[in-house]
Amino acid sequence: MFAMTLWLGNTAYLYITVAFSQMLKAIMPVAVFILGVSVGLEIMSSRMLLIMSVISFGVLIASYGELNIIWIGVVYQMGGIVAEALRLILMEILVKRKGIKLNPISLMYYMSPCSAICLFIPWIFLEKPKMDANSSTWDFHVLVLSLNSLCTFALNLSVFLVISHTSALTIRVAGVVKDWIVVLVSALLFAETKLTMINLFGYAVAIVGVASYNKHKVKKPIEGEGKTLASQSPIAPGKESGESS
């Protein structure tokens, strides 16, 4: 699921803007909650149903306000969101039902090699032939990829350090602020990003729903004095572990 998150999530950037992709990721709590209810990890309630409806409504408005929407990109992004939601659910099952407790660094140590293998196999059949056919024009940006990987590692490490010194609530609030910064900065850096008032209004509605969801989840008692894997991998709108391959 981690490999699928990387594959589908990064492919979506070929078709939709960074800002719009970030807006779609706001629906992540909805996917996690629905899957959690289906496997018995979450309990359906009128309050949670209202929160999920607000988030979905906000994402729908943001999508309606997108000027140059390419649906194949939306499909890829939604596929990545479902894969990430399944990954989080599986991690929660490992923690609550299997009693396995790993911090994000240990988790990356075990998951990254497995994900690399899962990505290597389709790469041989899907991407390698294209790279061989365009070997004269294809340029491998080692520096860009290295910096990308370094940022991904720093992101996961910072999540662990912030939770260790503060709380899960802090990282959830920081995640919301980070998402707004990503949307606004991408609009400034990339000419193809055209934000509309409908975009921003819809995303604001979705963020209100996400903030309510985070507040509701943090209020729940957390096993292991709040240091379980579930709390160490907070569900923020744009927080996908290693979302930048």
Side-chain angles (χ1 to χ4, degrees), residues 60-170:
L60 184 63
I61 294 176
S63 301
Y64 179 78
E66 181 67 12
L67 295 176
N68 301 310
I69 186 169
I70 301 177
W71 288 105
I72 185 63
V74 175
V75 171
Y76 275 122
Q77 186 60 69
M78 297 306 292
I81 289 172
V82 172
E84 175 68 3
L86 281 170
R87 185 183 73 85
L88 293 171
I89 291 297
L90 291 171
M91 288 197 303
E92 191 166 351
I93 290 175
L94 285 176
V95 171
K96 291 186 175 181
R97 297 183 182 176
K98 304 298 182 181
I100 299 175
K101 292 180 173 60
L102 294 173
N103 62 50
I105 303 301
S106 300
L107 188 66
M108 282 194 296
Y109 178 82
Y110 288 106
M111 281 197 354
S112 296
C114 297
S115 299
I117 295 173
C118 291
L119 289 171
F120 180 74
I121 296 174
W123 172 80
I124 294 176
F125 299 100
L126 297 177
E127 292 193 350
K128 188 176 184 299
K130 297 179 182 178
M131 293 167 61
D132 293 337
N134 301 301
S135 57
S136 58
T137 58
W138 192 75
D139 186 17
F140 184 74
H141 299 281
V142 178
L143 179 60
V144 174
L145 183 61
S146 299
L147 290 175
N148 187 297
S149 302
L150 181 62
C151 288
T152 302
F153 177 79
L155 172 64
N156 285 278
L157 180 61
S158 66
V159 170
F160 172 69
L161 294 175
V162 169
I163 292 177
S164 299
H165 291 85
T166 56
S167 66
L169 176 60
T170 302

Side-chain angles (χ1 to χ4, degrees), residues 169 172 176 209-219 235-237:
L169 176 60
R172 290 171 188 269
V176 172
V210 171
S212 301
Y213 175 84
N214 287 339
K215 182 180 179 182
H216 177 75
K217 293 294 289 184
V218 170
K219 282 184 177 181
I235 305 167

Side-chain angles (χ1 to χ4, degrees), residues 171-242:
I171 196 65
R172 290 171 188 269
V173 173
V176 172
V177 175
K178 184 265 295 182
D179 292 326
W180 270 107
I181 293 175
V182 169
V183 170
L184 296 177
V185 172
S186 65
L188 295 175
L189 293 179
F190 303 111
E192 68 272 15
T193 302
K194 304 294 183 182
L195 293 179
T196 65
M197 291 305 297
I198 298 178
N199 273 144
L200 295 176
F201 174 73
Y203 189 50
V205 172
I207 288 297
V208 170
V210 171
S212 301
Y213 175 84
N214 287 339
K215 182 180 179 182
H216 177 75
K217 293 294 289 184
V218 170
K219 282 184 177 181
K220 288 186 175 182
I222 303 174
E223 285 186 13
E225 298 180 356
K227 293 296 187 289
T228 63
L229 184 58
S231 66
Q232 292 168 351
S233 298
I235 305 167
K239 172 66 185 76
E240 297 178 9
S241 284

